Amino acid sequence: MRRKLLAVVISMAAGIVLFRISNITAVCGIAAAVFLYFKIIRKEEYGKWLFPDGNTDQKAAAAMVVAMVLGAAAFCGQEALFQAFERLDTGQPVKIEAAPYKVYQVDEEKYRLECRVIMVDGKKPGSLWLRMAGRAWGGDRLMLTYIGELEEPASLTGCDITFRSPISKPDSASNPRCFDYANYLKSKKITHTAVCRGFIKVERPGFGYREFSRKVMMLRESFLSSLGADDETTALIRGTVFGDSHMLDEDITDDFRKNGTAHVLAVSGLHVGVLYSVYKAIEGKTGSKCLTVLFLIFLGFYCMLTLWSVSAVRASLLIAIKVIGNELDRRYDIQTALAAVLLGIVLACPWALFSASLIMSFLAVAGMSAVTGFAERHGQEVFAKVFAAQLAMGPYLMYTFSQLPLGAIFINIPVIFIISILVPLGMLDLGVFALGAGNGGVMFLALSRALTGMARILTITNSSASRVNFLAFTVPSPPLSVIVTIYLLIFITTSESFHIAFHRKNIGYVICCGILIAVSVAMTSAWSATPFDKASAIMVDVGQGDSMHFTSGKTDVLIDGGGKEDYDVGEKILMPYLLRNGRRDLDLACATHLHTDHYLGLRQLSGVYPVRKAVVTGKKGDIIKPAKDIKIKILWPVRQNPDAEDENVNSLIFKVYIKDYTVLVTGDISKEGEKMLLDMYEGTDELKSDVLKVPHHGSRFSSSPEFIRAVDPKIALIGVGKNNMYGHPAPEVIKRYEEMGIPVFRTDEDGAIGIRKEAGAFEVCTMK
């Protein structure tokens, strides 16, 4: 078996994925691997099915089984460690002593500090063994959000800080298949969050790694501030040279993402490859061993400048392995090197395997290594590498970001050319600055002008390409099983083993590959399915506001869309929710009234997502029938008064008939509005509904007992944001529903809420 390490690392990753799915899945998968080893691989007459070169290589196969067990055990161990540190989740303000190891600015008065917890209320978190494990695998780390101004954020690296704040677990995804902040932080070994507006900084002794890293960060920030460029250009240089894009304008970031060039904002193989090319050009002329050592040291220094980003570490390690291999006169195999790097990263943090940045980094390299040879054999050598990287990342971009940048192959050509100049120019300018020529030196000024000029050219090139890029598409995310199928087919059919088996007509090997694909797809389908897939009515979590999603077949209706003045709910919450759940467009968007927390999100959504029809006006008796199983009837008002001072007077009251149950959507009506509805429909069952969207987010000025009895709901839903200033929902309102035997679900505690009726009974699913 060739590339034994690659096979071992893939087996370890499989063990981690299986345990992530469930404990039972991991046990069954490991048991199947053990059975396969003892019943098939150890028998020579069957082993050739899995090893087309005729060598069963039992030791490598045994190592693969052991690696799968170790992968599952490593993930289980890190999860257990994370759970052990849940004792930090106090819920009450505590005195925290922490050591920041990464500091970056989010906006003018907001900073994020990744910290290791030293003490909580004067006590060290956990036993000595637990603290040692925490240093290695995380769990004792938190993400601190500091609100205020900082003069020298980089100076906090290497110091200790003391502050008071509650420690809490980060928010998990509140809508199905949407971004999960808790899992993202786990991939960074962080399990808790805190917020503060002030802290006390304690200087550490002036030696050691922490002090050195602080000086490196301060050097980087001093260099950026000395460039004399505008904020936009400085932020772009920060992102493209050092991989820190937190301060980059959202419009510029969107242009990079739309063009499929966002990889230049994270230090990756492209950046390190450019620096390696410069090293090779110099080394080829000098042949100095000392230069090689200095370059390896420089790679570590560059990783430190990028705050040890996964992509920078991955690329630097790959290049370091290549450089060391050349010096030792050893053959370099990129797939084996990739496996070695992945092994190190996953052992350091098993949760990192699910990081989007790590996945895209390795997909790009794996794609180039697996597909380039195939493309070159078929006469496409010129575009092979660019095509291979885009092909490898394309399906993942569709699934994760709902984007298909087909024009990226062409747009990347000028962008990569600019980066090949920008990155070495930036590092040369930094070197000149570090040597003391930054105080008005002619060379520093010349290099800085060239650097900022190239950054502006990159901005213009990227924004121009974004405006004319008709090959960039926003698409609904395909099912995860489809993505897994695509990748398995690509990497299996382009592999050397499959190539050998195919030409030798090894039908057994081909059948085994087919079984592997079928089993993987079946497991992925089962794991990625959510109860929301069967729900026909979903209250979407939009924070402080209402949004009801009704779906039947391919028809989708949204009533209200939330909204916040300083946040684009339409683009950042509603559109990702719809696209990630496979919704191509919206057939109907209705607003109960024009208040910000009901209407603004719909207006924002219509600017970035296809909305076929919108309804913001209507009167009693109007009926809308967007699908066979969906009918919407307007119960109020008799007629709308455009001169009314209170918009709630004009609030549309919708009764939705979906499949075999009904939902009453009430907007923000008060007790007076409820009284008018009761008077209008007295003696009828028009208000009676199975599900009630509680009026006015559970305000104490609504939900009168008479109104609740008239509706007689089996389920009550409240759309409300966390810690809102209005005090919604009122405790007495919640108690009123509970005393009437009506279960109440609320988005601030439950996240999105899905409802379906099966065999005459209601089933409710929640995200939390």
Side-chain angles (χ1 to χ4, degrees):
M1 181 195 299
R2 294 186 60 195
R3 299 189 176 97
K4 298 180 179 65
L5 182 61
L6 178 62
V8 167
V9 172
I10 291 175
S11 299
M12 178 174 287
I16 293 173
V17 172
L18 288 173
F19 202 93
R20 168 79 190 279
I21 294 174
S22 72
N23 300 1
I24 296 176
T25 305
V27 171
C28 292
I30 292 171
V34 172
F35 175 83
L36 184 69
Y37 173 74
F38 283 105
K39 293 296 183 180
I40 295 180
I41 296 176
R42 294 189 59 173
K43 296 184 178 181
E44 295 292 333
E45 63 271 24
Y46 299 124
K48 61 184 179 181
W49 287 5
L50 298 177
F51 302 94
D53 58 1
N55 178 14
T56 57
D57 210 335
Q58 295 180 18
K59 291 183 179 179
M64 291 168 62
V65 176
V66 173
M68 182 180 288
V69 176
L70 289 177
F75 187 79
C76 176
Q78 190 172 43
E79 275 289 276
L81 187 66
F82 287 166
Q83 294 173 9
F85 279 101
E86 285 184 1
R87 69 188 68 183
L88 296 177
D89 188 1
T90 58
Q92 299 295 325
V94 290
K95 182 181 179 181
I96 303 167
E97 184 179 345
Y101 54 90
K102 286 185 183 180
V103 182
Y104 42 87
Q105 189 171 0
V106 179
D107 54 39
E108 290 185 0
E109 293 189 352
K110 182 182 288 187
Y111 297 81
R112 293 276 166 77
L113 289 73
E114 296 181 20
C115 307
R116 184 175 59 83
V117 177
I118 300 174
M119 289 188 179
V120 178
D121 277 342
K123 298 179 181 178
K124 294 184 178 181
S127 62
L128 176 62
W129 177 88
L130 205 59
R131 295 198 300 275
M132 292 174 62
R135 278 181 172 270
W137 267 0
D140 60 341
R141 304 180 187 186
L142 62 81
M143 177 70 79
L144 173 64
T145 299
Y146 172 75
I147 301 174
E149 295 184 358
L150 288 176
E151 292 185 2
E152 292 185 330
S155 66
L156 294 176
T157 306
C159 297
D160 291 348
I161 60 174
T162 303
F163 59 94
R164 290 192 65 84
S165 170
I167 300 179
S168 59
K169 295 176 66 175
D171 292 332
S172 56
S174 60
N175 291 310
R177 295 192 176 92
C178 290
F179 176 70
D180 194 311
Y181 187 56
N183 287 346
Y184 164 73
L185 289 184
K186 280 185 177 182
S187 70
K188 298 166 73 70
K189 303 184 184 181
I190 297 172
T191 56
H192 295 83
T193 60
V195 180
C196 76
R197 294 181 178 272
F199 56 80
I200 299 173
K201 183 172 74 171
V202 180
E203 298 283 351
R204 300 281 296 181
F207 59 89
Y209 169 78
R210 292 179 64 185
E211 177 63 19
F212 178 69
S213 64
R214 179 166 70 135
K215 290 182 177 179
V216 170
M217 287 297 100
M218 292 182 69
L219 171 66
R220 189 187 86 170
E221 296 306 311
S222 297
F223 165 70
L224 289 170
S225 62
S226 299
L227 291 176
D230 57 86
D231 292 343
E232 182 180 289
T233 303
T234 302
L236 185 63
I237 294 172
R238 180 192 296 274
T240 53
V241 179
F242 303 115
D244 182 1
S245 58
H246 293 92
M247 290 297 292
L248 203 59
D249 184 78
E250 284 191 17
D251 292 335
I252 296 177
T253 304
D254 289 341
D255 287 341
F256 277 101
R257 191 177 296 116
K258 179 182 177 181
N259 292 331
T261 56
H263 59 91
V264 305
L265 300 178
V267 171
S268 60
L270 170 63
H271 300 67
V272 179
V274 167
L275 297 173
Y276 175 71
S277 299
V278 175
Y279 154 75
K280 286 297 292 181
I282 301 174
E283 191 266 344
K285 296 180 179 180
T286 63
S288 171
K289 302 291 184 183
C290 182
L291 180 64
T292 301
V293 174
L294 290 175
F295 178 69
L296 293 175
I297 295 173
F298 169 77
L299 287 179
F301 177 73
Y302 191 47
C303 287
M304 187 177 293
L305 285 171
T306 66
L307 297 176
W308 298 102
S309 71
V310 171
S311 55
V313 171
R314 185 268 306 163
S316 298
L317 287 175
L318 283 176
I319 294 296
I321 292 172
K322 183 176 180 64
V323 170
I324 294 172
N326 290 340
E327 290 298 321
L328 298 177
D329 199 22
R330 300 293 296 272
R331 177 176 174 268
Y332 177 74
D333 180 72
I334 189 171
Q335 294 187 18
T336 302
L338 190 66
V341 174
L342 182 60
L343 178 64
I345 292 175
V346 169
L347 286 177
C349 179
W351 257 101
L353 188 64
F354 305 102
S355 164
S357 60
L358 178 108
I359 292 172
M360 287 191 291
S361 295
F362 279 90
L363 279 177
V365 177
M368 286 188 287
S369 63
V371 183
T372 298
F374 178 82
E376 289 175 348
R377 287 196 299 269
H378 291 76
Q380 301 297 326
E381 187 172 352
V382 176
F383 297 104
K385 289 188 176 181
V386 176
F387 174 76
Q390 295 301 321
L391 178 64
M393 289 193 297
Y396 184 77
L397 290 173
M398 289 175 61
Y399 175 73
T400 306
F401 303 108
S402 301
Q403 292 184 341
L404 183 60
L406 293 179
I409 296 175
F410 308 102
I411 298 172
N412 267 285
I413 294 174
V415 169
I416 290 174
F417 175 75
I418 296 171
I419 288 295
S420 67
I421 300 174
L422 185 66
V423 172
L425 190 61
M427 296 310 299
L428 179 61
D429 200 15
L430 175 64
V432 172
F433 178 83
L435 292 174
N439 298 321
V442 176
M443 182 177 292
F444 174 75
L445 291 175
L447 289 172
S448 297
R449 288 180 181 178
L451 179 64
T452 54
M454 291 302 299
R456 293 189 182 101
I457 292 173
L458 178 60
T459 301
I460 295 170
T461 302
N462 199 63
S463 60
S464 300
S466 177
R467 285 194 292 270
V468 300
N469 187 7
F470 56 89
L471 292 177
F473 303 98
T474 299
V475 296
S477 297
L480 183 58
S481 57
V482 173
I483 302 302
V484 170
T485 303
I486 291 173
Y487 279 121
L488 288 175
L489 286 174
I490 290 175
F491 290 117
I492 287 177
T493 57
T494 58
S495 67
E496 185 179 18
S497 297
F498 187 87
H499 189 69
I500 294 172
F502 183 79
H503 282 281
R504 292 182 179 179
K505 298 181 180 180
N506 188 340
I507 305 301
Y509 182 82
V510 176
I511 292 175
C512 289
C513 290
I515 293 173
L516 172 64
I517 293 174
V519 171
S520 300
V521 170
M523 290 177 58
T524 303
S525 298
W527 176 52
S528 61
T530 77
F532 288 88
D533 296 337
K534 297 181 179 180
S536 49
I538 301 170
M539 174 167 267
V540 186
D541 184 5
V542 290
Q544 181 57 34
D546 283 341
S547 185
M548 289 293 301
H549 175 210
F550 299 95
T551 178
S552 177
K554 295 183 179 181
T555 302
D556 294 282
V557 176
L558 210 60
I559 298 182
D560 287 338
K564 192 177 179 182
E565 288 293 349
D566 57 347
Y567 189 78
D568 196 331
V569 171
E571 184 175 4
K572 296 182 178 179
I573 295 181
L574 292 178
M575 185 171 74
Y577 160 73
L578 292 167
L579 289 173
R580 289 302 307 275
N581 287 279
R583 306 298 174 180
R584 187 176 300 275
D585 54 30
L586 198 60
D587 296 272
L588 177 65
C590 304
T592 54
H593 59 297
L594 301 183
H595 279 174
T596 297
D597 59 341
H598 292 258
Y599 172 68
L600 182 58
L602 292 180
R603 191 180 72 187
Q604 294 166 336
L605 179 67
S606 64
V608 293
Y609 185 81
V611 179
R612 295 186 179 182
K613 182 180 179 181
V615 173
V616 295
T617 61
K619 63 183 186 300
K620 173 181 176 291
D622 288 351
I623 293 178
I624 310 168
K625 196 169 175 55
K628 179 181 178 181
D629 293 334
I630 303 177
K631 183 178 78 171
I632 302 173
K633 186 175 182 180
I634 298 179
L635 303 185
W636 179 269
V638 177
R639 64 177 181 275
Q640 290 184 303
N641 179 10
D643 299 323
E645 293 184 4
D646 185 2
E647 184 63 33
N648 290 332
V649 174
N650 290 324
S651 182
L652 300 179
I653 308 300
F654 298 103
K655 186 171 183 179
V656 182
Y657 299 80
I658 180 160
K659 297 185 177 180
D660 54 352
Y661 66 96
T662 55
V663 180
L664 188 64
V665 183
T666 56
D668 282 350
I669 59 171
S670 61
K671 290 181 180 178
E672 290 76 12
E674 294 172 359
K675 180 67 167 58
M676 288 188 285
L677 280 172
L678 291 170
D679 292 341
M680 179 175 292
Y681 294 105
E682 185 178 4
T684 71
D685 289 335
E686 198 67 51
L687 294 177
K688 187 176 176 61
S689 302
D690 297 302
V691 180
L692 171 64
K693 199 293 296 181
V694 173
H696 206 170
H697 318 289
S699 165
R700 61 191 179 93
F701 300 109
S702 60
S703 291
S704 64
E706 296 80 13
F707 180 74
I708 299 174
R709 281 193 288 268
V711 178
D712 191 23
K714 297 176 177 62
I715 301 167
L717 308 178
I718 301 178
V720 63
K722 287 185 177 180
N723 305 317
N724 63 84
M725 66 181 69
Y726 308 102
H728 296 158
E732 58 266 33
V733 171
I734 299 294
K735 184 178 180 181
R736 191 175 303 150
Y737 280 97
E738 291 176 346
E739 288 176 347
M740 294 184 178
I742 303 168
V744 177
F745 298 89
R746 39 194 286 189
T747 55
D748 62 335
E749 294 181 353
D750 301 310
I753 306 156
I755 298 171
R756 72 174 178 135
K757 194 174 183 181
E758 191 76 21
F762 282 95
E763 295 184 10
V764 180
C765 57
T766 62
M767 283 297 297
K768 300 179 181 179

